Amino acid sequence: MSTKRRCVNPKQKKVSKDILQSVVLTKKMCQSETEEGLQRYLAERGSDYEGVLIRHNIHHSNLKEVKETLEKEDIETKIVQRFEYTPDAIQWADIVLSAGGDGTFLLAASKIKDRSKPLVGINTDPARSEGYLCLPTKFSLRVSDALERFLAGKFKWMWRQRIRTTMTGQHANDEPLELHNQELQYPEHRFMEHVAEHEMYKQSSESASDLPPRVLPVLALNEVFIGECLSARVSYFEFSTDDSISVKQKSSGLTVCTGTGSSSWSFNINHIPKESVKEILKITNEIANCSCHIDSEAVLRKIASEFNNSLRFDPGEARMAYTMRDPVMNGIYHVAVPRGFANRMTIRSRMWDGCLAIDGGVSFKFNDGAIATLEVFSEDALQTVMLT
């Protein structure tokens, strides 16, 4: 592919066809490619082959419509799969479109480093995927209307902040590992999370602080997860936020999200149902001699809704929200603030088989002694659009 000659100016309100000439269209990895034996394979797994094939055909039908709509406007379009989505392909295009759901959007975003390279998501199967990061359903199903509005300037530019991770340690320079390829290491150490610190196994005599830091090549649009690869194991690490003192803790792992990710995994971890609200108010009534309306469904729903809505924050805000999952609380370990906000976080691993996973797609080894610093910088923001 030849290199790109222009980019969309974020200050432009109207985007002319002279500016928008080339589009890279990323498509999701499909479970069904209808080769011989696939039907038998799915049947052995208890999966519905016909159902999978129907979703596959819907996706490709909508993908074809998107391509044809763009080409009718004389916009050169190249459809690329996961492993064809390269920096050269991104550089060639004026705009990147993702065709799939939120997973495809996250994959497309992970390789965009240029703040002026817009990414627009099209949900090709709204019946099976919410597509929170994609265009609203009415535009995903009528791409011609979306393109008409875009070319007419009926949209607003939007920047979603992302998390930059700088790592120091033995595996800091490793290539990212696709999560579906990840294998557990050191299974014999699964009962050794309580080993004394001075007896901990060191894979390298070189201190992590003596190794040069590396900015990881993937930015997190949703969240960064740090913990043991096997979720049943206790995750052990030290962490600090902003200028706070480093604290040792054990938990089920740490999630750090952006405003975009605050409505995703982080939200699901922290949200409370109205039943929990009722139990808390019942205890409040008993201890504080109050008379909260624990039998009013409307009140319980309102309180739960207010709390849950407070967990979300604007994707454009340059801050991160962190959550310790199931923190260990005893006489040795105690996390004073298991959930909160930070502008900068530093984590030092004390794990045997730890990982640092970005947006649920790729991970990096994060074992004993490795250090990760998480920050948000405006130049890392992802440009996208809101149709009006």
Side-chain angles (χ1 to χ4, degrees):
M1 292 181 179
S2 60
T3 58
K4 189 175 82 69
R5 299 178 302 278
R6 63 187 68 80
C7 63
V8 177
N9 185 344
K11 295 182 179 180
Q12 267 184 294
K13 181 59 182 175
K14 187 172 181 180
V15 180
S16 68
K17 295 179 184 178
D18 293 334
I19 297 298
L20 182 56
Q21 294 184 358
S22 55
V23 169
V24 160
L25 182 59
T26 64
K27 70 172 187 175
K28 69 176 182 178
M29 294 180 67
C30 293
Q31 186 177 11
S32 168
E33 294 297 342
T34 68
E35 67 267 15
E36 184 178 356
L38 179 60
Q39 185 172 3
R40 182 173 64 255
Y41 169 73
L42 291 175
E44 291 173 352
R45 293 178 53 201
S47 299
D48 178 10
Y49 173 80
E50 294 300 328
V52 171
L53 187 59
I54 289 173
R55 308 325 305 180
H56 170 84
N57 291 337
I58 289 174
H59 166 69
H60 278 273
S61 174
N62 289 330
L63 183 68
K64 180 181 178 182
E65 180 185 351
V66 172
K67 188 174 187 294
E68 291 177 348
T69 299
L70 292 169
E71 291 178 340
K72 283 181 182 178
E73 298 292 339
D74 295 324
I75 299 172
E76 187 177 0
T77 306
K78 295 184 183 296
I79 297 178
V80 296
Q81 299 189 52
R82 187 187 196 101
F83 301 107
E84 300 169 329
Y85 183 55
T86 63
D88 286 342
I90 297 171
Q91 178 70 12
W92 170 83
D94 295 317
I95 286 182
V96 177
L97 298 184
S98 68
D102 286 342
T104 310
F105 187 95
L106 289 170
L107 169 66
S110 69
K111 297 187 178 182
I112 297 177
K113 304 298 190 295
D114 187 350
R115 191 177 189 273
S116 63
K117 181 74 64 175
L119 171 62
V120 179
I122 297 173
N123 189 354
T124 54
D125 192 1
R128 293 292 296 272
S129 173
E130 182 178 359
Y132 171 78
L133 298 173
C134 301
L135 293 177
T137 299
K138 64 179 181 179
F139 292 122
S140 288
L141 294 177
R142 293 187 59 84
V143 181
S144 58
D145 290 350
L147 182 59
E148 180 181 346
R149 283 178 172 268
F150 185 68
L151 293 175
K154 297 179 180 180
F155 69 93
K156 294 180 180 179
W157 291 117
M158 175 182 179
W159 278 268
R160 295 180 179 271
Q161 299 294 337
R162 297 189 285 184
I163 299 173
R164 181 192 298 184
T165 304
T166 304
M167 188 186 295
T168 303
Q170 184 180 7
H171 298 288
N173 291 308
D174 289 1
E175 289 301 311
L177 181 66
E178 299 285 342
L179 281 178
H180 65 270
N181 291 331
Q182 188 162 7
E183 296 180 0
L184 297 176
Q185 304 294 321
Y186 311 119
E188 70 277 10
H189 292 159
R190 62 189 181 279
F191 300 118
M192 297 183 67
E193 66 269 14
H194 298 293
V195 68
E197 288 183 50
H198 67 278
E199 296 176 344
M200 292 190 72
Y201 171 76
K202 305 294 184 182
Q203 293 190 24
S204 172
S205 60
E206 192 171 16
S207 171
S209 60
D210 296 332
L211 297 171
R214 176 206 184 195
V215 177
L216 297 186
V218 183
L219 297 167
L221 179 60
N222 262 0
E223 73 275 313
V224 174
F225 170 76
I226 294 175
E228 284 281 356
C229 293
L230 182 61
S231 60
R233 295 177 184 166
V234 175
S235 299
Y236 180 28
F237 49 83
E238 303 172 28
F239 87 105
S240 64
T241 60
D242 299 323
D243 297 324
S244 67
I245 299 174
S246 183
V247 177
K248 296 177 183 177
Q249 67 86 50
K250 291 185 177 182
S251 67
S252 296
L254 168 73
T255 62
V256 184
C257 76
T258 63
T260 297
S262 67
S263 61
S264 186
W265 189 10
S266 177
F267 178 84
N268 293 326
I269 293 172
N270 292 295
H271 89 286
I272 58 174
K274 60 181 177 62
E275 290 77 14
S276 296
V277 174
K278 183 175 183 178
E279 290 298 318
I280 293 172
L281 291 181
K282 182 179 179 181
I283 295 173
T284 302
N285 285 344
E286 294 172 354
I287 294 178
N289 195 26
C290 298
S291 57
C292 299
H293 301 287
I294 62 174
D295 295 322
S296 172
E297 288 291 315
V299 170
L300 297 177
R301 281 196 301 270
K302 178 65 174 176
I303 294 174
S305 177
E306 287 290 327
F307 174 82
N308 294 335
N309 288 336
S310 73
L311 299 172
R312 300 184 177 99
F313 59 103
D314 191 274
E317 289 188 39
R319 61 174 177 162
M320 303 172 289
Y322 67 89
T323 303
M324 294 290 172
R325 300 176 63 215
D326 314 318
V328 173
M329 298 287 192
N330 54 32
I332 306 298
Y333 299 99
H334 178 73
V335 181
V337 187
R339 178 174 68 85
F341 293 94
N343 296 314
R344 187 175 190 269
M345 294 194 68
T346 302
I347 303 96
R348 179 189 291 269
S349 174
R350 296 301 183 193
M351 294 177 282
W352 291 112
D353 191 17
C355 71
L356 186 152
I358 297 177
D359 286 342
V362 297
S363 71
F364 298 82
K365 291 182 180 179
F366 192 61
N367 294 331
D368 182 40
I371 301 172
T373 301
L374 279 55
E375 299 169 285
V376 175
F377 295 94
S378 60
E379 59 264 32
D380 293 334
L382 178 71
Q383 184 182 4
T384 184
V385 301
M386 290 182 61
L387 296 179
T388 58

